[in-house]
Amino acid sequence: YEIAQDAEMDPIGELAEDWGLGDDDLQLYGDYTAKVDADAIERLKRDAEEKAGNLVLVTGMTPTPKGEGKTVTTVGLGQTLNHLGEDAMIAIREPSLGPVFGVKGGAAGGGYSQVLPMEEINLHFTGDLHALTSAHNLIAAMLDAKLSQGNDLDIDVNDVEWERALDMNDRALRSTVIGLGGSSGGTPREDGFKLTAASELMAVLCLASDLGDLKERVGRIIVAYTEDGDPITVDDIEATGAVTMLLRDAVEPNLVQTIEGTPAFVHGGPFANIAHGTNSLIADKAAFGMGDYLVTEAGFGSDLGAEKFMNIVCRLGDMTPNAVVLVSSVRALQYHGLDQWPVDYDEIDDAGVDAVEAGFENLDRHVSNLQQFGVPVVVAVNRFPDDSEEEVQAVLDHCQDDLGVRAAESEVFEHGSEGGEALGEHVIDAVDESDEEEFTHLYDEEAPIEEKIETVATEIYGADGVTFTGGALDDIERMEELGFGDVPVCMSKTFHSLSDDAAKKGAPEGWELEISEVYPSAGAGFIVALTADALTMPGLPSDPAAADMDIDEDGNITGLF
């Protein structure tokens, strides 16, 4: 945190020319943040078509609740590639205030590998998440207005799918009753809130190609069903224009810099456990026009963010990854090696090499997951201060000798680009040796919905099969009737385990994935399969990160990390 406060930055307007941008291309938010306007984005997209850009995805093994440093690695690797003489860009997600004030804190990297200005990025930034929250709740308000003002669309009050949204963890709002207070209070019904990052609008924003495409996607979002089971869309409740208007600025990507001056897009923020988990395609496409390498990240472990990046984002965005960096840590390996729940971090700290080796089964599963896509894998061992040489070397030896994959220790948190040189060289070698024709998706879009779900469950999670509970099979039948049988599947699952049980560590065997609900994200262009243990509105822990944050009378913030 102190490193970010002490860092000296050049104004973004002065750096833009070196990145191929002029003053007219930027909408400045202070000295160090800008949005890139639509005309510049289209120009950068055209420039990208003439270049053979290299796409590097950063993902991870199953993390501890504290996270293992994917964003630090992403930022540090981007800096390192530039340090090694390459021309690299970074693209990451915007932090949600839920995790910022909850368990993990901010999401701007850390140490000497972070994006700046850290405080602004982790708080209100350019207002994108506030715009999404307002747009989401406008849809909810206009839907309820239709219900209470005659219900001429014949909306089934018991089949309303569009909850409200808030960019804050609040478990008390997961299930609510609205419309109380008599006839002036609207139509009483059950409702609830989800985190803004879990809103379909967030997924729509991150998969749209431009403002016009965004508007089309918003219009086809399904918000409810009629008494006869027909879908009601945002177009049907006449909210499309107003909602898109609220998102006019949010669709433009945010441009900042790292602590070493590497350009970075920070745009969009869908979670990978309940959505597709990567930054916007608009930012990715623009970045390809600004550099020869794009380093981006996918949320949580490879079973979530990376799987969806390969099967959803690359498919819809027509992109091919050239290498994947799998972030591991001694702490995470010990976490899985001890096989305990809930977590006792003091016990993890004292676990030693034996627990590291016992946790290899989780790392190994993630490596094999990624290799199925035909993309070279490089393991990054993100080093923490208390890691011993013996522990780190055990991981490197296992990766190189037993798995036959490239691996390097990463100290980009402590040393910036100089701490990532070995990792960067491995990544460059992997990209040089990659063959884009070997990249493959895990399943065919045309496959039946059940088959797509079962493929992810068995090939990625390691399940023996899938059990469909409640109305899940009826949901699938409805999806096929509505024409969603040939779109990708976005699995909504806990990030604490490869399985759907957060308490199961390592690489669980002898279990079946439980699917409780299947519903469309028609605007995003995929369907969501909900497991029994996924929450769209997290709650704060007993000791939230917010409790240790403060601001003094001069506006100096402390405790934000």
PDB file of all heavy atoms in Angstrom, residues 1 4-5 7 9-10 12 29-34 95 107-108 114-126 254-259 264 266 560:
ATOM      1  N   TYR A   1       0.839  -1.210   0.000  1.00  0.00           N
ATOM      2  CA  TYR A   1       0.000   0.000   0.000  1.00  0.00           C
ATOM      3  C   TYR A   1       0.868   1.252   0.000  1.00  0.00           C
ATOM      4  O   TYR A   1       0.638   2.197  -0.754  1.00  0.00           O
ATOM      5  CB  TYR A   1      -0.927  -0.023   1.214  1.00  0.00           C
ATOM      6  CG  TYR A   1      -1.787   1.215   1.335  1.00  0.00           C
ATOM      7  CD1 TYR A   1      -2.894   1.375   0.517  1.00  0.00           C
ATOM      8  CD2 TYR A   1      -1.480   2.220   2.236  1.00  0.00           C
ATOM      9  CE1 TYR A   1      -3.680   2.516   0.603  1.00  0.00           C
ATOM     10  CE2 TYR A   1      -2.244   3.358   2.338  1.00  0.00           C
ATOM     11  CZ  TYR A   1      -3.347   3.497   1.519  1.00  0.00           C
ATOM     12  OH  TYR A   1      -4.119   4.617   1.602  1.00  0.00           O
ATOM     13  N   ALA A   4       2.375   2.019  -3.351  1.00  0.00           N
ATOM     14  CA  ALA A   4       1.466   2.701  -4.285  1.00  0.00           C
ATOM     15  C   ALA A   4       1.394   4.187  -3.981  1.00  0.00           C
ATOM     16  O   ALA A   4       1.391   5.025  -4.892  1.00  0.00           O
ATOM     17  CB  ALA A   4       0.080   2.070  -4.215  1.00  0.00           C
ATOM     18  N   GLN A   5       1.334   4.534  -2.691  1.00  0.00           N
ATOM     19  CA  GLN A   5       1.238   5.945  -2.320  1.00  0.00           C
ATOM     20  C   GLN A   5       2.507   6.720  -2.662  1.00  0.00           C
ATOM     21  O   GLN A   5       2.456   7.901  -2.992  1.00  0.00           O
ATOM     22  CB  GLN A   5       0.931   6.065  -0.823  1.00  0.00           C
ATOM     23  CG  GLN A   5      -0.482   5.626  -0.449  1.00  0.00           C
ATOM     24  CD  GLN A   5      -0.777   5.852   1.011  1.00  0.00           C
ATOM     25  OE1 GLN A   5       0.051   5.597   1.879  1.00  0.00           O
ATOM     26  NE2 GLN A   5      -1.971   6.345   1.306  1.00  0.00           N
ATOM     27  N   ALA A   7       4.617   5.987  -5.119  1.00  0.00           N
ATOM     28  CA  ALA A   7       5.004   5.864  -6.530  1.00  0.00           C
ATOM     29  C   ALA A   7       4.821   7.198  -7.257  1.00  0.00           C
ATOM     30  O   ALA A   7       3.853   7.933  -7.027  1.00  0.00           O
ATOM     31  CB  ALA A   7       4.169   4.785  -7.208  1.00  0.00           C
ATOM     32  N   MET A   9       4.056   8.890 -10.761  1.00  0.00           N
ATOM     33  CA  MET A   9       3.424   8.546 -12.031  1.00  0.00           C
ATOM     34  C   MET A   9       3.504   9.709 -13.000  1.00  0.00           C
ATOM     35  O   MET A   9       3.423  10.876 -12.591  1.00  0.00           O
ATOM     36  CB  MET A   9       1.956   8.169 -11.814  1.00  0.00           C
ATOM     37  CG  MET A   9       1.718   6.904 -11.034  1.00  0.00           C
ATOM     38  SD  MET A   9      -0.057   6.522 -10.927  1.00  0.00           S
ATOM     39  CE  MET A   9      -0.605   7.772  -9.759  1.00  0.00           C
ATOM     40  N   ASP A  10       3.615   9.393 -14.270  1.00  0.00           N
ATOM     41  CA  ASP A  10       3.473  10.404 -15.309  1.00  0.00           C
ATOM     42  C   ASP A  10       2.004  10.530 -15.664  1.00  0.00           C
ATOM     43  O   ASP A  10       1.274   9.533 -15.692  1.00  0.00           O
ATOM     44  CB  ASP A  10       4.264  10.000 -16.554  1.00  0.00           C
ATOM     45  CG  ASP A  10       5.759  10.015 -16.320  1.00  0.00           C
ATOM     46  OD1 ASP A  10       6.230  10.909 -15.599  1.00  0.00           O
ATOM     47  OD2 ASP A  10       6.455   9.124 -16.853  1.00  0.00           O
ATOM     48  N   ILE A  12      -1.370  10.416 -17.542  1.00  0.00           N
ATOM     49  CA  ILE A  12      -1.753   9.462 -18.583  1.00  0.00           C
ATOM     50  C   ILE A  12      -1.760  10.129 -19.957  1.00  0.00           C
ATOM     51  O   ILE A  12      -1.447   9.500 -20.977  1.00  0.00           O
ATOM     52  CB  ILE A  12      -3.132   8.834 -18.256  1.00  0.00           C
ATOM     53  CG1 ILE A  12      -3.297   7.490 -18.956  1.00  0.00           C
ATOM     54  CG2 ILE A  12      -4.273   9.757 -18.597  1.00  0.00           C
ATOM     55  CD1 ILE A  12      -2.669   6.354 -18.235  1.00  0.00           C
ATOM     56  N   TYR A  29      -9.978  11.266 -16.481  1.00  0.00           N
ATOM     57  CA  TYR A  29     -10.553  11.260 -15.134  1.00  0.00           C
ATOM     58  C   TYR A  29      -9.409  11.603 -14.179  1.00  0.00           C
ATOM     59  O   TYR A  29      -8.765  10.712 -13.622  1.00  0.00           O
ATOM     60  CB  TYR A  29     -11.152   9.895 -14.796  1.00  0.00           C
ATOM     61  CG  TYR A  29     -12.456   9.600 -15.492  1.00  0.00           C
ATOM     62  CD1 TYR A  29     -12.498   9.351 -16.865  1.00  0.00           C
ATOM     63  CD2 TYR A  29     -13.659   9.573 -14.784  1.00  0.00           C
ATOM     64  CE1 TYR A  29     -13.699   9.078 -17.506  1.00  0.00           C
ATOM     65  CE2 TYR A  29     -14.858   9.303 -15.419  1.00  0.00           C
ATOM     66  CZ  TYR A  29     -14.868   9.067 -16.781  1.00  0.00           C
ATOM     67  OH  TYR A  29     -16.057   8.794 -17.410  1.00  0.00           O
ATOM     68  N   GLY A  30      -9.117  12.869 -14.040  1.00  0.00           N
ATOM     69  CA  GLY A  30      -7.937  13.269 -13.297  1.00  0.00           C
ATOM     70  C   GLY A  30      -6.694  13.105 -14.158  1.00  0.00           C
ATOM     71  O   GLY A  30      -6.759  13.013 -15.386  1.00  0.00           O
ATOM     72  N   ASP A  31      -5.535  13.062 -13.530  1.00  0.00           N
ATOM     73  CA  ASP A  31      -4.271  13.013 -14.262  1.00  0.00           C
ATOM     74  C   ASP A  31      -3.859  11.609 -14.673  1.00  0.00           C
ATOM     75  O   ASP A  31      -3.065  11.455 -15.601  1.00  0.00           O
ATOM     76  CB  ASP A  31      -3.146  13.619 -13.399  1.00  0.00           C
ATOM     77  CG  ASP A  31      -3.312  15.117 -13.200  1.00  0.00           C
ATOM     78  OD1 ASP A  31      -3.906  15.764 -14.085  1.00  0.00           O
ATOM     79  OD2 ASP A  31      -2.852  15.620 -12.165  1.00  0.00           O
ATOM     80  N   TYR A  32      -4.382  10.584 -13.996  1.00  0.00           N
ATOM     81  CA  TYR A  32      -3.783   9.261 -14.151  1.00  0.00           C
ATOM     82  C   TYR A  32      -4.745   8.173 -14.631  1.00  0.00           C
ATOM     83  O   TYR A  32      -4.379   7.000 -14.673  1.00  0.00           O
ATOM     84  CB  TYR A  32      -3.155   8.825 -12.818  1.00  0.00           C
ATOM     85  CG  TYR A  32      -2.209   9.859 -12.263  1.00  0.00           C
ATOM     86  CD1 TYR A  32      -2.502  10.532 -11.072  1.00  0.00           C
ATOM     87  CD2 TYR A  32      -1.036  10.196 -12.933  1.00  0.00           C
ATOM     88  CE1 TYR A  32      -1.647  11.504 -10.570  1.00  0.00           C
ATOM     89  CE2 TYR A  32      -0.170  11.161 -12.446  1.00  0.00           C
ATOM     90  CZ  TYR A  32      -0.483  11.811 -11.265  1.00  0.00           C
ATOM     91  OH  TYR A  32       0.367  12.766 -10.781  1.00  0.00           O
ATOM     92  N   THR A  33      -5.942   8.558 -14.993  1.00  0.00           N
ATOM     93  CA  THR A  33      -6.944   7.608 -15.476  1.00  0.00           C
ATOM     94  C   THR A  33      -7.665   8.213 -16.664  1.00  0.00           C
ATOM     95  O   THR A  33      -7.943   9.422 -16.689  1.00  0.00           O
ATOM     96  CB  THR A  33      -7.978   7.282 -14.372  1.00  0.00           C
ATOM     97  OG1 THR A  33      -7.297   6.713 -13.252  1.00  0.00           O
ATOM     98  CG2 THR A  33      -9.020   6.294 -14.871  1.00  0.00           C
ATOM     99  N   ALA A  34      -7.957   7.382 -17.647  1.00  0.00           N
ATOM    100  CA  ALA A  34      -8.700   7.862 -18.811  1.00  0.00           C
ATOM    101  C   ALA A  34      -9.569   6.752 -19.367  1.00  0.00           C
ATOM    102  O   ALA A  34      -9.281   5.566 -19.196  1.00  0.00           O
ATOM    103  CB  ALA A  34      -7.739   8.359 -19.897  1.00  0.00           C
ATOM    104  N   PRO A  95     -12.163  -3.999  -9.684  1.00  0.00           N
ATOM    105  CA  PRO A  95     -12.564  -4.567  -8.393  1.00  0.00           C
ATOM    106  C   PRO A  95     -14.019  -4.251  -8.069  1.00  0.00           C
ATOM    107  O   PRO A  95     -14.529  -3.188  -8.397  1.00  0.00           O
ATOM    108  CB  PRO A  95     -11.623  -3.880  -7.394  1.00  0.00           C
ATOM    109  CG  PRO A  95     -10.489  -3.356  -8.218  1.00  0.00           C
ATOM    110  CD  PRO A  95     -11.086  -3.013  -9.553  1.00  0.00           C
ATOM    111  N   ALA A 107      -8.120  -5.383  -5.688  1.00  0.00           N
ATOM    112  CA  ALA A 107      -7.747  -6.263  -6.800  1.00  0.00           C
ATOM    113  C   ALA A 107      -6.969  -5.482  -7.841  1.00  0.00           C
ATOM    114  O   ALA A 107      -7.280  -5.516  -9.021  1.00  0.00           O
ATOM    115  CB  ALA A 107      -8.994  -6.892  -7.411  1.00  0.00           C
ATOM    116  N   ALA A 108      -5.957  -4.764  -7.378  1.00  0.00           N
ATOM    117  CA  ALA A 108      -5.134  -3.973  -8.285  1.00  0.00           C
ATOM    118  C   ALA A 108      -3.694  -4.459  -8.297  1.00  0.00           C
ATOM    119  O   ALA A 108      -2.794  -3.740  -8.706  1.00  0.00           O
ATOM    120  CB  ALA A 108      -5.188  -2.495  -7.874  1.00  0.00           C
ATOM    121  N   GLN A 114       1.630  -3.562  -9.360  1.00  0.00           N
ATOM    122  CA  GLN A 114       0.244  -3.154  -9.212  1.00  0.00           C
ATOM    123  C   GLN A 114      -0.093  -2.052 -10.193  1.00  0.00           C
ATOM    124  O   GLN A 114       0.796  -1.375 -10.710  1.00  0.00           O
ATOM    125  CB  GLN A 114      -0.057  -2.717  -7.780  1.00  0.00           C
ATOM    126  CG  GLN A 114       0.829  -1.641  -7.200  1.00  0.00           C
ATOM    127  CD  GLN A 114       0.461  -1.324  -5.746  1.00  0.00           C
ATOM    128  OE1 GLN A 114      -0.699  -1.031  -5.442  1.00  0.00           O
ATOM    129  NE2 GLN A 114       1.441  -1.409  -4.860  1.00  0.00           N
ATOM    130  N   VAL A 115      -1.384  -1.931 -10.452  1.00  0.00           N
ATOM    131  CA  VAL A 115      -1.860  -0.863 -11.317  1.00  0.00           C
ATOM    132  C   VAL A 115      -2.234   0.335 -10.455  1.00  0.00           C
ATOM    133  O   VAL A 115      -2.714   0.190  -9.335  1.00  0.00           O
ATOM    134  CB  VAL A 115      -3.049  -1.313 -12.193  1.00  0.00           C
ATOM    135  CG1 VAL A 115      -2.587  -2.201 -13.328  1.00  0.00           C
ATOM    136  CG2 VAL A 115      -4.113  -2.036 -11.365  1.00  0.00           C
ATOM    137  N   LEU A 116      -1.998   1.502 -11.008  1.00  0.00           N
ATOM    138  CA  LEU A 116      -2.197   2.755 -10.285  1.00  0.00           C
ATOM    139  C   LEU A 116      -3.137   3.673 -11.059  1.00  0.00           C
ATOM    140  O   LEU A 116      -3.215   3.574 -12.275  1.00  0.00           O
ATOM    141  CB  LEU A 116      -0.845   3.453 -10.096  1.00  0.00           C
ATOM    142  CG  LEU A 116       0.254   2.648  -9.404  1.00  0.00           C
ATOM    143  CD1 LEU A 116       1.565   3.423  -9.432  1.00  0.00           C
ATOM    144  CD2 LEU A 116      -0.130   2.294  -7.978  1.00  0.00           C
ATOM    145  N   PRO A 117      -3.863   4.571 -10.378  1.00  0.00           N
ATOM    146  CA  PRO A 117      -3.869   4.843  -8.948  1.00  0.00           C
ATOM    147  C   PRO A 117      -4.685   3.809  -8.167  1.00  0.00           C
ATOM    148  O   PRO A 117      -5.887   3.638  -8.434  1.00  0.00           O
ATOM    149  CB  PRO A 117      -4.495   6.235  -8.844  1.00  0.00           C
ATOM    150  CG  PRO A 117      -5.357   6.344 -10.078  1.00  0.00           C
ATOM    151  CD  PRO A 117      -4.683   5.522 -11.139  1.00  0.00           C
ATOM    152  N   MET A 118      -4.046   3.128  -7.234  1.00  0.00           N
ATOM    153  CA  MET A 118      -4.632   1.991  -6.541  1.00  0.00           C
ATOM    154  C   MET A 118      -5.907   2.345  -5.783  1.00  0.00           C
ATOM    155  O   MET A 118      -6.895   1.618  -5.829  1.00  0.00           O
ATOM    156  CB  MET A 118      -3.592   1.376  -5.602  1.00  0.00           C
ATOM    157  CG  MET A 118      -4.070   0.115  -4.881  1.00  0.00           C
ATOM    158  SD  MET A 118      -4.869   0.443  -3.301  1.00  0.00           S
ATOM    159  CE  MET A 118      -3.446   0.776  -2.281  1.00  0.00           C
ATOM    160  N   GLU A 119      -5.908   3.468  -5.071  1.00  0.00           N
ATOM    161  CA  GLU A 119      -7.076   3.818  -4.269  1.00  0.00           C
ATOM    162  C   GLU A 119      -8.295   4.058  -5.152  1.00  0.00           C
ATOM    163  O   GLU A 119      -9.399   3.569  -4.867  1.00  0.00           O
ATOM    164  CB  GLU A 119      -6.771   5.060  -3.418  1.00  0.00           C
ATOM    165  CG  GLU A 119      -5.729   4.790  -2.345  1.00  0.00           C
ATOM    166  CD  GLU A 119      -5.201   6.063  -1.722  1.00  0.00           C
ATOM    167  OE1 GLU A 119      -5.326   7.145  -2.352  1.00  0.00           O
ATOM    168  OE2 GLU A 119      -4.656   5.986  -0.613  1.00  0.00           O
ATOM    169  N   GLU A 120      -8.108   4.817  -6.227  1.00  0.00           N
ATOM    170  CA  GLU A 120      -9.233   5.094  -7.120  1.00  0.00           C
ATOM    171  C   GLU A 120      -9.754   3.817  -7.775  1.00  0.00           C
ATOM    172  O   GLU A 120     -10.964   3.601  -7.873  1.00  0.00           O
ATOM    173  CB  GLU A 120      -8.815   6.107  -8.195  1.00  0.00           C
ATOM    174  CG  GLU A 120      -8.717   7.531  -7.703  1.00  0.00           C
ATOM    175  CD  GLU A 120      -7.379   7.826  -7.022  1.00  0.00           C
ATOM    176  OE1 GLU A 120      -6.607   6.870  -6.765  1.00  0.00           O
ATOM    177  OE2 GLU A 120      -7.117   9.011  -6.750  1.00  0.00           O
ATOM    178  N   ILE A 121      -8.845   2.963  -8.243  1.00  0.00           N
ATOM    179  CA  ILE A 121      -9.259   1.725  -8.918  1.00  0.00           C
ATOM    180  C   ILE A 121     -10.070   0.849  -7.982  1.00  0.00           C
ATOM    181  O   ILE A 121     -11.084   0.267  -8.381  1.00  0.00           O
ATOM    182  CB  ILE A 121      -8.024   0.974  -9.446  1.00  0.00           C
ATOM    183  CG1 ILE A 121      -7.377   1.752 -10.591  1.00  0.00           C
ATOM    184  CG2 ILE A 121      -8.395  -0.433  -9.920  1.00  0.00           C
ATOM    185  CD1 ILE A 121      -6.015   1.229 -11.007  1.00  0.00           C
ATOM    186  N   ASN A 122      -9.653   0.742  -6.717  1.00  0.00           N
ATOM    187  CA  ASN A 122     -10.333  -0.132  -5.767  1.00  0.00           C
ATOM    188  C   ASN A 122     -11.625   0.468  -5.204  1.00  0.00           C
ATOM    189  O   ASN A 122     -12.431  -0.257  -4.609  1.00  0.00           O
ATOM    190  CB  ASN A 122      -9.404  -0.480  -4.606  1.00  0.00           C
ATOM    191  CG  ASN A 122      -8.437  -1.598  -4.955  1.00  0.00           C
ATOM    192  OD1 ASN A 122      -8.813  -2.582  -5.590  1.00  0.00           O
ATOM    193  ND2 ASN A 122      -7.183  -1.457  -4.555  1.00  0.00           N
ATOM    194  N   LEU A 123     -11.827   1.751  -5.378  1.00  0.00           N
ATOM    195  CA  LEU A 123     -13.041   2.376  -4.849  1.00  0.00           C
ATOM    196  C   LEU A 123     -13.999   2.716  -5.999  1.00  0.00           C
ATOM    197  O   LEU A 123     -14.476   1.832  -6.680  1.00  0.00           O
ATOM    198  CB  LEU A 123     -12.670   3.580  -3.986  1.00  0.00           C
ATOM    199  CG  LEU A 123     -11.844   3.219  -2.731  1.00  0.00           C
ATOM    200  CD1 LEU A 123     -11.442   4.465  -1.961  1.00  0.00           C
ATOM    201  CD2 LEU A 123     -12.611   2.261  -1.835  1.00  0.00           C
ATOM    202  N   HIS A 124     -14.257   3.975  -6.261  1.00  0.00           N
ATOM    203  CA  HIS A 124     -15.288   4.322  -7.249  1.00  0.00           C
ATOM    204  C   HIS A 124     -14.771   4.324  -8.678  1.00  0.00           C
ATOM    205  O   HIS A 124     -15.552   4.203  -9.622  1.00  0.00           O
ATOM    206  CB  HIS A 124     -15.885   5.701  -6.916  1.00  0.00           C
ATOM    207  CG  HIS A 124     -16.479   5.779  -5.555  1.00  0.00           C
ATOM    208  ND1 HIS A 124     -17.649   5.139  -5.216  1.00  0.00           N
ATOM    209  CD2 HIS A 124     -16.059   6.414  -4.428  1.00  0.00           C
ATOM    210  CE1 HIS A 124     -17.933   5.380  -3.945  1.00  0.00           C
ATOM    211  NE2 HIS A 124     -16.981   6.140  -3.445  1.00  0.00           N
ATOM    212  N   PHE A 125     -13.462   4.500  -8.860  1.00  0.00           N
ATOM    213  CA  PHE A 125     -12.816   4.509 -10.163  1.00  0.00           C
ATOM    214  C   PHE A 125     -13.536   5.484 -11.095  1.00  0.00           C
ATOM    215  O   PHE A 125     -13.778   6.629 -10.750  1.00  0.00           O
ATOM    216  CB  PHE A 125     -12.764   3.096 -10.723  1.00  0.00           C
ATOM    217  CG  PHE A 125     -11.699   2.855 -11.764  1.00  0.00           C
ATOM    218  CD1 PHE A 125     -10.582   3.659 -11.855  1.00  0.00           C
ATOM    219  CD2 PHE A 125     -11.810   1.796 -12.656  1.00  0.00           C
ATOM    220  CE1 PHE A 125      -9.592   3.438 -12.800  1.00  0.00           C
ATOM    221  CE2 PHE A 125     -10.837   1.559 -13.609  1.00  0.00           C
ATOM    222  CZ  PHE A 125      -9.729   2.377 -13.685  1.00  0.00           C
ATOM    223  N   THR A 126     -13.942   5.020 -12.292  1.00  0.00           N
ATOM    224  CA  THR A 126     -14.634   5.908 -13.237  1.00  0.00           C
ATOM    225  C   THR A 126     -16.149   5.756 -13.167  1.00  0.00           C
ATOM    226  O   THR A 126     -16.865   6.291 -14.017  1.00  0.00           O
ATOM    227  CB  THR A 126     -14.166   5.618 -14.677  1.00  0.00           C
ATOM    228  OG1 THR A 126     -14.428   4.245 -14.989  1.00  0.00           O
ATOM    229  CG2 THR A 126     -12.674   5.892 -14.823  1.00  0.00           C
ATOM    230  N   ASN A 254     -11.241   1.548 -19.457  1.00  0.00           N
ATOM    231  CA  ASN A 254     -10.451   2.444 -18.625  1.00  0.00           C
ATOM    232  C   ASN A 254      -8.964   2.136 -18.800  1.00  0.00           C
ATOM    233  O   ASN A 254      -8.546   0.982 -18.695  1.00  0.00           O
ATOM    234  CB  ASN A 254     -10.821   2.274 -17.153  1.00  0.00           C
ATOM    235  CG  ASN A 254     -12.315   2.351 -16.925  1.00  0.00           C
ATOM    236  OD1 ASN A 254     -12.940   3.360 -17.205  1.00  0.00           O
ATOM    237  ND2 ASN A 254     -12.898   1.265 -16.434  1.00  0.00           N
ATOM    238  N   LEU A 255      -8.178   3.178 -19.045  1.00  0.00           N
ATOM    239  CA  LEU A 255      -6.747   3.023 -19.271  1.00  0.00           C
ATOM    240  C   LEU A 255      -5.970   3.645 -18.119  1.00  0.00           C
ATOM    241  O   LEU A 255      -6.174   4.812 -17.779  1.00  0.00           O
ATOM    242  CB  LEU A 255      -6.350   3.694 -20.584  1.00  0.00           C
ATOM    243  CG  LEU A 255      -4.882   3.589 -21.012  1.00  0.00           C
ATOM    244  CD1 LEU A 255      -4.475   2.140 -21.258  1.00  0.00           C
ATOM    245  CD2 LEU A 255      -4.633   4.433 -22.268  1.00  0.00           C
ATOM    246  N   VAL A 256      -5.083   2.843 -17.515  1.00  0.00           N
ATOM    247  CA  VAL A 256      -4.212   3.328 -16.449  1.00  0.00           C
ATOM    248  C   VAL A 256      -2.797   2.817 -16.727  1.00  0.00           C
ATOM    249  O   VAL A 256      -2.487   2.404 -17.844  1.00  0.00           O
ATOM    250  CB  VAL A 256      -4.711   2.862 -15.062  1.00  0.00           C
ATOM    251  CG1 VAL A 256      -6.037   3.534 -14.713  1.00  0.00           C
ATOM    252  CG2 VAL A 256      -4.853   1.341 -15.002  1.00  0.00           C
ATOM    253  N   GLN A 257      -1.950   2.805 -15.714  1.00  0.00           N
ATOM    254  CA  GLN A 257      -0.577   2.332 -15.881  1.00  0.00           C
ATOM    255  C   GLN A 257      -0.169   1.530 -14.664  1.00  0.00           C
ATOM    256  O   GLN A 257      -0.763   1.655 -13.587  1.00  0.00           O
ATOM    257  CB  GLN A 257       0.379   3.512 -16.056  1.00  0.00           C
ATOM    258  CG  GLN A 257       0.399   4.448 -14.854  1.00  0.00           C
ATOM    259  CD  GLN A 257       1.182   5.719 -15.090  1.00  0.00           C
ATOM    260  OE1 GLN A 257       2.405   5.682 -15.220  1.00  0.00           O
ATOM    261  NE2 GLN A 257       0.473   6.857 -15.151  1.00  0.00           N
ATOM    262  N   THR A 258       0.851   0.689 -14.837  1.00  0.00           N
ATOM    263  CA  THR A 258       1.394  -0.034 -13.701  1.00  0.00           C
ATOM    264  C   THR A 258       2.442   0.829 -13.004  1.00  0.00           C
ATOM    265  O   THR A 258       2.786   1.921 -13.472  1.00  0.00           O
ATOM    266  CB  THR A 258       2.061  -1.352 -14.133  1.00  0.00           C
ATOM    267  OG1 THR A 258       3.309  -1.054 -14.772  1.00  0.00           O
ATOM    268  CG2 THR A 258       1.178  -2.125 -15.095  1.00  0.00           C
ATOM    269  N   ILE A 259       2.968   0.312 -11.929  1.00  0.00           N
ATOM    270  CA  ILE A 259       3.963   1.053 -11.165  1.00  0.00           C
ATOM    271  C   ILE A 259       5.237   1.289 -11.970  1.00  0.00           C
ATOM    272  O   ILE A 259       6.009   2.204 -11.683  1.00  0.00           O
ATOM    273  CB  ILE A 259       4.253   0.313  -9.840  1.00  0.00           C
ATOM    274  CG1 ILE A 259       4.767   1.269  -8.782  1.00  0.00           C
ATOM    275  CG2 ILE A 259       5.178  -0.876 -10.056  1.00  0.00           C
ATOM    276  CD1 ILE A 259       4.700   0.725  -7.380  1.00  0.00           C
ATOM    277  N   ALA A 264      -2.204  -0.393 -18.965  1.00  0.00           N
ATOM    278  CA  ALA A 264      -3.125  -1.422 -18.484  1.00  0.00           C
ATOM    279  C   ALA A 264      -4.564  -0.973 -18.647  1.00  0.00           C
ATOM    280  O   ALA A 264      -4.925   0.139 -18.247  1.00  0.00           O
ATOM    281  CB  ALA A 264      -2.838  -1.736 -17.015  1.00  0.00           C
ATOM    282  N   VAL A 266      -8.276  -1.603 -17.312  1.00  0.00           N
ATOM    283  CA  VAL A 266      -8.995  -2.146 -16.164  1.00  0.00           C
ATOM    284  C   VAL A 266     -10.472  -1.918 -16.444  1.00  0.00           C
ATOM    285  O   VAL A 266     -10.977  -0.802 -16.295  1.00  0.00           O
ATOM    286  CB  VAL A 266      -8.560  -1.456 -14.851  1.00  0.00           C
ATOM    287  CG1 VAL A 266      -9.287  -2.074 -13.660  1.00  0.00           C
ATOM    288  CG2 VAL A 266      -7.050  -1.551 -14.662  1.00  0.00           C
ATOM    289  N   LEU A 560      -6.444  -0.065   3.019  1.00  0.00           N
ATOM    290  CA  LEU A 560      -6.950  -0.555   1.745  1.00  0.00           C
ATOM    291  C   LEU A 560      -5.800  -1.294   1.052  1.00  0.00           C
ATOM    292  O   LEU A 560      -4.727  -0.741   0.866  1.00  0.00           O
ATOM    293  CB  LEU A 560      -7.421   0.616   0.881  1.00  0.00           C
ATOM    294  CG  LEU A 560      -8.020   0.279  -0.490  1.00  0.00           C
ATOM    295  CD1 LEU A 560      -9.278  -0.541  -0.344  1.00  0.00           C
ATOM    296  CD2 LEU A 560      -8.318   1.569  -1.252  1.00  0.00           C
TER     297      LEU A 560
END
